[in-house]
Amino acid sequence: MGTKDVPPSIDTIPSSFVQFAIADKVIALGRANSLWPLTFGIACCAIEMMCTGAARFDLSRFGAEVFRPSPRQSDLMIVAGTISNKMAPGIKTLYDQMPEPKWVIALGNCAISGGPFVFEGQYGIVEGADKFLPVDVYVPGCPPRPEALIEGIIELEHKITGWRRWPKVKPEWRESGSDES
Ligand code: SF4
């Protein structure tokens, strides 16, 4: 058995060469309502991510409960936890193995900016997933509650379709007219 170099068959056709606006909208709606997250957690925030998929919070209401065991079957990476320098290349490899189109949610303060592990002279932690991944949505908290992850997924749906399921809830302090917080 051997290998042989095969010349490229055709030039790449730009994806925007022909566009069908209605079809694009329907496809985007389908993608947004059937996000398949990668089964992947790296620290305590992953426990909250697991809770989000359990009965009480029922992520399947939003079509995002099918956590896949392979990056090749996933279109959403939820970076849930502290990113050590040792783990970062592995995380990047998993991301690269996911097919396009794909999205990234940074779940929790560690994935956003290094969280409580950032201090002068630290040498073991990557200070945010966006140092090496194109993050689409940031969900703050240490850890964020499952409701926060659900809001992050709704925000990602909004980004994909340009349409939001529900209006955003305004914080109470704004409704009362006070800017002090
Ligand atoms: S943000 Fe807090 S809860 Fe989440 S991984 Fe970091 S230390 Fe753990």
Side-chain angles (χ1 to χ4, degrees), residues 18-42:
V18 178
Q19 287 206 327
F20 300 95
I22 300 295
D24 286 351
K25 279 185 182 174
V26 172
I27 290 168
L29 203 59
R31 283 176 176 153
N33 286 279
S34 59
L35 291 165
W36 284 9
L38 180 60
T39 308
F40 161 73
I42 40 181

Side-chain angles (χ1 to χ4, degrees), residues 43-46 80-82 107-111 114-117 141-144:
C44 10
C45 277
T82 321
L107 181 66
N109 293 357
C110 282
F117 302 106
C142 180

Side-chain angles (χ1 to χ4, degrees), residues 4 13 16 18 20 30 39 66 69 72 85 90 92 101 120 123 126 128 130 135 141 153 175:
K4 192 177 169 187
I13 299 172
S16 58
V18 178
F20 300 95
T39 308
V66 189
R72 294 179 183 84
N85 283 327
K92 181 70 168 64
E120 201 178 330
Y123 56 86
V126 179
D130 56 8
V135 175
I153 286 172
E175 283 176 356

Side-chain angles (χ1 to χ4, degrees), residues 31-32 34-40 49 59 62-68 70-79 94-95 98-107 133-137 139 149-150 152-157 160:
R31 283 176 176 153
S34 59
L35 291 165
W36 284 9
L38 180 60
T39 308
F40 161 73
M49 182 178 71
L59 195 55
F62 309 99
E65 84 285 11
V66 189
F67 281 79
R68 304 306 301 174
S70 163
R72 294 179 183 84
Q73 301 165 353
S74 309
D75 58 4
L76 171 60
M77 173 177 271
I78 302 173
V79 184
L94 288 172
Y95 177 79
M98 291 164 60
E100 294 280 357
K102 54 189 169 185
W103 299 276
V104 178
I105 292 179
L107 181 66
L133 294 176
V135 175
D136 295 284
V137 176
V139 180
L149 176 55
I150 289 173
I153 286 172
I154 290 173
E155 195 56 39
L156 181 59
E157 289 178 1
I160 296 169

Side-chain angles (χ1 to χ4, degrees), residues 33 50 73 85 106 125 141 147 170-171 180:
N33 286 279
M50 291 176 221
Q73 301 165 353
N85 283 327
I125 299 300
E147 293 94 332
K170 287 184 185 173
E180 293 171 17

